[in-house]
Amino acid sequence: MNFTIRTASKNDMPQVLNLIKQLAVFEKEPDAVEVTLTDLENDGFGENPAFHCFVAEVNGSIEGMALVYNRYSTWKGKALHLEDLIVNETMRGTGIGSALLDEVVKYGYHLGVKRINWEVLDWNEPAIVFYEKNGAHVMREWNVVHLNEQAIKNYISKL
């Protein structure tokens, strides 16, 4: 399988959004994607980009992506968060996921981060095996905590 891993361009965002929607279906949340093409273009390619994105390209088509952004750990210092690593279902098992993870780790290393972190659904056993095989520690004793947009508004209304 011949593919290229590269930094995404603004022109790649329609295909990146399609992969994001594919992931939502896979994660049994098909209607949960609220981000728009305009959001991705503005947030990723403005004066102060909110994220960095890598894509896997096969014959001119984006078949995978990894989206990361900077974080800071009070215990470790500079950290990188991998928001999503997505490979088109028809391309899984071709090495694209490994190549994207390689690129994320190299990127974090060159940024001088002390940690790269991400979440994985507890039922996504193939992903858990993949990450552990690559040296990641899946911290099953931790719970992810979110305040969604409505919860933020409710919180603010009580201040």
Side-chain angles (χ1 to χ4, degrees), residues 60-151:
S61 178
I62 304 303
E63 299 292 347
M65 58 81 80
L67 189 143
V68 298
Y69 56 88
N70 293 320
R71 289 179 68 170
Y72 197 83
S73 166
T74 56
W75 288 11
K76 302 293 181 187
K78 291 195 306 184
L80 187 67
H81 184 79
L82 171 59
E83 180 64 23
D84 280 317
L85 190 155
I86 308 166
V87 177
N88 188 331
E89 189 171 5
T90 62
M91 292 293 185
R92 293 183 189 148
T94 63
I96 288 174
S98 293
L100 284 165
L101 185 59
D102 291 351
E103 205 61 33
V104 167
V105 173
K106 288 189 293 187
Y107 180 72
Y109 176 80
H110 290 296
L111 290 176
V113 301
K114 304 288 185 176
R115 182 174 70 205
I116 300 171
N117 56 285
W118 62 95
E119 291 88 27
V120 61
L121 290 168
D122 62 357
W123 55 261
N124 192 348
E125 206 54 43
I128 291 169
V129 169
F130 169 72
Y131 294 138
E132 289 179 334
K133 180 187 83 169
N134 282 286
H137 172 69
V138 177
M139 302 175 72
R140 297 174 192 260
E141 63 277 8
W142 285 73
N143 291 306
V144 176
V145 179
H146 286 174
L147 276 175
N148 66 22
E149 186 177 16
Q150 187 58 52

Side-chain angles (χ1 to χ4, degrees), residues 17-35 84 121 123 146 148:
L17 182 57
N18 183 50
L19 286 168
I20 292 167
K21 290 177 180 179
Q22 280 184 35
L23 178 65
V25 170
F26 174 77
E27 292 185 351
K28 302 173 179 87
E29 297 267 358
D31 299 319
V33 177
E34 295 178 14
V35 72
D84 280 317
L121 290 168
W123 55 261
H146 286 174
N148 66 22

